[in-house]
Amino acid sequence: DFPETGVYTVQVALDMAGNVSAVKSVSYYLDQTGPAGTVTTTPQAGTWTEADPVVNFTNVADANAGMDPSTVRYSIVAQGQPAGAFQNVSGLTLTAQTSPYAGSFQLAPADRDQADGKYTIYVRFQDKLGNTSTRTLAYYKDKDKPQGSLSFSKAADSLSDTVQITASMSDGAGSGIKNSTLRIKNSAGGVVETVYSNFTTDSVTRA
């Protein structure tokens, strides 16, 4: 067995019957490693965004068997999960068409419709012998607007006394509530009072 990737020389000088011949040498090329390379995303990986990610790769090369950049594949899963089935990329563009390769691609249309949340994008490179290497990127998606609601301690047709108003809000699996404001307005739409401004809790109550 050969311990690692490299070039080895095999020398043969003895047959099964013990006959000795002149030493003959052959070179054996062993490649057990996948391509090297760097990946990033636009927008920057690990930041909340409403944009669909573009995956960029640079300095992708295999010093041994070589590689075909069209074999790049990806998998997107919920954060903390192992890679699923790798699939073809969408819109592959090469900015460096010889090794080391560089370029970018998009996720397939179905993966652009993922719900808000935190994801991991696995990017896989493969050389001509089938050896692979994988890189990971964090993708935080937030396209949906926050939702809010009001509730009252008394029915709407009996609001003639002290009433408790509760404002609730949620951003689901998105980036979270940055700020919210609860204002009381009159029937003409004018602001009577700003009760709470820039609160970030799930709900507030005004008596």
Side-chain angles (χ1 to χ4, degrees):
D1 292 337
F2 298 96
E4 59 186 13
T5 296
V7 180
Y8 297 87
T9 299
V10 180
Q11 296 181 327
V12 180
L14 184 69
D15 67 13
M16 293 296 293
N19 300 310
V20 178
S21 66
V23 175
K24 300 182 183 297
S25 298
V26 294
S27 294
Y28 181 77
Y29 296 83
L30 178 66
D31 182 3
Q32 295 179 318
T33 60
T38 301
V39 294
T40 61
T41 58
T42 305
Q44 182 180 352
T47 59
W48 285 100
T49 179
E50 61 182 3
D52 293 320
V54 174
V55 179
N56 312 294
F57 56 88
T58 57
N59 296 318
V60 178
D62 187 83
N64 300 301
M67 67 165 294
D68 179 353
S70 67
T71 60
V72 62
R73 298 291 185 268
Y74 81 93
S75 173
I76 181 170
V77 295
Q79 188 179 63
Q81 297 300 310
F86 284 90
Q87 57 185 307
N88 294 334
V89 303
S90 176
L92 176 65
T93 300
L94 293 178
T95 55
Q97 300 189 17
T98 57
S99 182
Y101 299 98
S104 62
F105 66 85
Q106 296 176 321
L107 306 186
D111 287 328
R112 299 175 206 166
D113 293 331
Q114 297 274 3
D116 285 1
K118 293 184 176 182
Y119 297 90
T120 299
I121 301 174
Y122 294 86
V123 181
R124 188 187 72 186
F125 300 115
Q126 180 173 302
D127 70 13
K128 292 180 179 180
L129 292 180
N131 298 309
T132 61
S133 61
T134 305
R135 306 290 185 270
T136 59
L137 297 162
Y139 172 46
Y140 298 165
K141 179 180 179 179
D142 186 0
K143 283 190 174 182
D144 296 334
K145 297 178 180 178
Q147 301 295 315
S149 62
L150 293 174
S151 61
F152 307 92
S153 60
K154 294 186 178 181
D157 58 358
S158 63
L159 301 183
S160 59
D161 201 349
T162 300
V163 177
Q164 193 175 67
I165 304 173
T166 299
S168 302
M169 70 297 301
S170 173
D171 193 41
S175 57
I177 301 297
K178 182 177 181 179
N179 61 68
S180 301
T181 301
L182 172 61
R183 294 188 178 98
I184 297 177
K185 297 183 178 181
N186 57 30
S187 58
V191 176
V192 176
E193 181 182 2
T194 297
V195 182
Y196 293 102
S197 181
N198 295 329
F199 61 89
T200 59
T201 55
D202 289 340
S203 65
V204 291
T205 300
R206 168 71 171 183

